[in-house]
Amino acid sequence: MIATQSIATTSSEPSVITPEEALAILEGKQPFLHVLKEASDQRFKYFGNKVRIHILDNIKNGYCPEDCGYCAQRKGGDSGIKEYSLKSEEEIWEDAKLAKASGAYRFCMVTSGRGPTDKAVDKLATTISRINSELGLKVCLSAGILDAKKARVLKDAGLDRYNHNLNTSESNYNEICSTHTFKDRLSTLEAASSADIGLCSGLIVGMGEQNSDLVQVAFELKRLGVISIPVNFFIPIKGHAVTLNTSLTPEYCIRVLSVFRLVNPDSEIRIGAGREGHLGSLQSMGLYVANSLFADGYLNVKGSEISQTMNLIRDCGMIPEFSEGIPQGWENYEKEFLYEEKNFPDLYKFKK
């Protein structure tokens, strides 16, 4: 079954499972393949066999006054990352053109900092409007804390989605950040929603939280009607103030994705940062639950190249959902068949 592309800005379908059932899945009390099938059924019901590719553009890096413990850009992090101010409109434009040419369904612009000034909002609005009108490319912006007035300016410019991750539960939030609160994040999502901007909000798994924290986030996102949910898996690099929860096995990661799918059946579930390392050989299995992923790296960490992502999608028997349909010949995207005759000499285990 191929589902019709969703253009909704909010999630409206009821959850398939209860909080108690979600917790049982995460605790391993439900058979893995049973969970996978239940989640997969919902994924194909709403999104068919299509996969949306998102490409991130870090348009401002570092110089951040916030102390988010999971971020390499946090104040005092000493991560060694390159810091730079907000890119020019032309630089962002060139990045957007490259993203579209690479097969991106949505172009995600991310800035560091607590939140944008009025001047920065006006500049971003001009850039968003140009990308919309000249490239026809959907845009998601992640720029920190936002009020209703700024949200309206961005909406009028054609902003499709606003990203502001909850990251963890309210009860666990003080463990990862002290310079703003969980309620600050909720207020930003409410401001964007009031301007009729689709919400993109998810979490980072593996920051010392309990299974119950993940369940709380899943149902909070359902309450907010979030239409796009990135599920990130913590990548422990220099500069972080939190440490990795080592229980992130590939099976557990699939269980997490399944919970977010079953709680938010008609939302876009995206496999975010950390899929290459934490899902490992089960990356393809993740696409039977999630209908979206990031390609070509994350904010400050490298990830799979776009060609590897295309091959992953094709090998699952799925189709990338481009911003303007599916171009012919996409399945040949830099694909090399291992068992071609030219490779035979290198395949022998024993040689004379």
Side-chain angles (χ1 to χ4, degrees):
M1 172 184 173
I2 302 296
T4 302
Q5 177 179 322
S6 172
I7 56 173
T9 58
T10 61
S11 169
S12 58
E13 295 296 321
S15 299
V16 179
I17 56 175
T18 66
E20 293 75 20
E21 290 169 330
L23 189 59
I25 290 173
L26 295 178
E27 291 177 344
K29 295 178 180 178
Q30 294 293 330
F32 179 68
L33 291 181
H34 172 76
V35 172
L36 180 64
K37 183 182 185 304
E38 291 295 308
S40 180
D41 285 347
Q42 297 300 315
R43 182 253 196 268
F44 281 91
K45 176 181 178 180
Y46 292 101
F47 299 97
N49 68 341
K50 295 180 181 178
V51 179
R52 295 175 182 173
I53 301 171
H54 294 239
I55 293 180
L56 286 169
D57 187 18
N58 205 0
I59 61 175
K60 179 185 176 185
N61 206 44
Y63 303 119
C64 188
E66 304 298 294
D67 69 352
C68 307
Y70 52 82
C71 184
Q73 302 182 60
R74 69 184 185 92
K75 68 174 183 179
D78 190 28
S79 61
I81 62 167
K82 178 181 179 181
E83 296 178 320
Y84 51 84
S85 301
L86 187 64
K87 290 182 179 180
S88 67
E89 179 184 336
E90 204 57 39
E91 287 176 304
I92 299 172
W93 168 253
E94 290 299 324
D95 291 341
K97 286 199 299 182
L98 181 59
K100 182 171 183 178
S102 297
Y105 176 86
R106 184 172 279 108
F107 182 59
C108 306
M109 304 190 303
V110 185
T111 77
S112 62
R114 182 176 178 84
T117 63
D118 289 338
K119 182 178 180 181
V121 167
D122 290 340
K123 180 177 179 179
L124 289 167
T126 300
T127 304
I128 291 166
S129 179
R130 183 182 178 189
I131 293 172
N132 268 289
S133 61
E134 297 185 36
L135 286 180
L137 188 61
K138 295 174 174 55
V139 177
C140 179
L141 174 65
S142 179
I145 295 172
L146 205 65
D147 59 29
K149 178 183 176 182
K150 292 174 181 177
R152 175 51 59 184
V153 172
L154 295 170
K155 173 63 179 180
D156 291 344
L159 183 65
D160 180 51
R161 297 270 170 84
Y162 193 79
N163 167 262
H164 201 58
N165 292 331
L166 293 181
N167 289 320
T168 192
S169 70
E170 183 171 14
S171 58
N172 192 50
Y173 204 82
N174 287 340
E175 299 298 321
I176 67 169
C177 181
S178 68
T179 49
H180 62 266
T181 67
F182 186 85
K183 289 183 179 179
D184 288 331
R185 289 190 169 264
L186 284 182
S187 296
T188 292
L189 292 173
E190 290 164 355
S193 182
S194 68
D196 198 30
I197 298 173
L199 299 183
C200 174
S201 183
L203 78 162
I204 305 172
V205 183
M207 298 192 295
E209 71 282 341
Q210 302 297 313
N211 287 324
S212 58
D213 292 307
L214 301 182
V215 174
Q216 288 176 37
V217 175
F219 280 91
E220 183 66 11
L221 295 174
K222 173 81 272 183
R223 183 189 71 80
L224 292 166
V226 174
I227 196 64
S228 181
I229 301 175
V231 180
N232 301 286
F233 301 97
F234 185 61
I235 302 175
I237 60 173
K238 182 182 179 183
H240 288 159
V242 299
T243 56
L244 174 67
N245 179 339
T246 55
S247 65
L248 296 187
T249 65
E251 179 193 353
Y252 180 76
C253 291
I254 298 295
R255 286 181 178 271
V256 172
L257 291 169
S258 297
V259 163
F260 278 82
R261 167 59 67 206
L262 292 169
V263 175
N264 304 274
D266 60 335
S267 295
E268 175 183 350
I269 304 296
R270 181 157 58 262
I271 314 176
R275 68 175 168 89
E276 295 87 350
H278 291 303
L279 269 71
S281 61
L282 298 191
Q283 279 189 73
S284 58
M285 192 174 287
L287 285 182
Y288 287 89
V289 177
N291 66 297
S292 173
L293 42 66
F294 284 117
D296 209 22
Y298 310 105
L299 288 184
N300 285 284
V301 181
K302 294 180 179 179
S304 298
E305 295 180 358
I306 188 70
S307 59
Q308 294 172 309
T309 301
M310 289 292 193
N311 288 335
L312 174 66
I313 293 169
R314 193 221 33 244
D315 290 349
C316 290
M318 297 185 189
I319 300 171
E321 189 174 0
F322 293 88
S323 57
E324 294 181 352
I326 302 168
Q328 291 184 343
W330 78 270
E331 66 275 7
N332 297 319
Y333 198 101
E334 298 185 23
K335 176 65 177 178
E336 181 176 318
F337 184 51
L338 178 63
Y339 299 136
E340 291 182 65
E341 185 175 353
K342 67 178 182 178
N343 294 328
F344 286 175
D346 295 326
L347 296 178
Y348 289 110
K349 184 175 181 180
F350 302 106
K351 295 181 182 180
K352 290 184 178 179

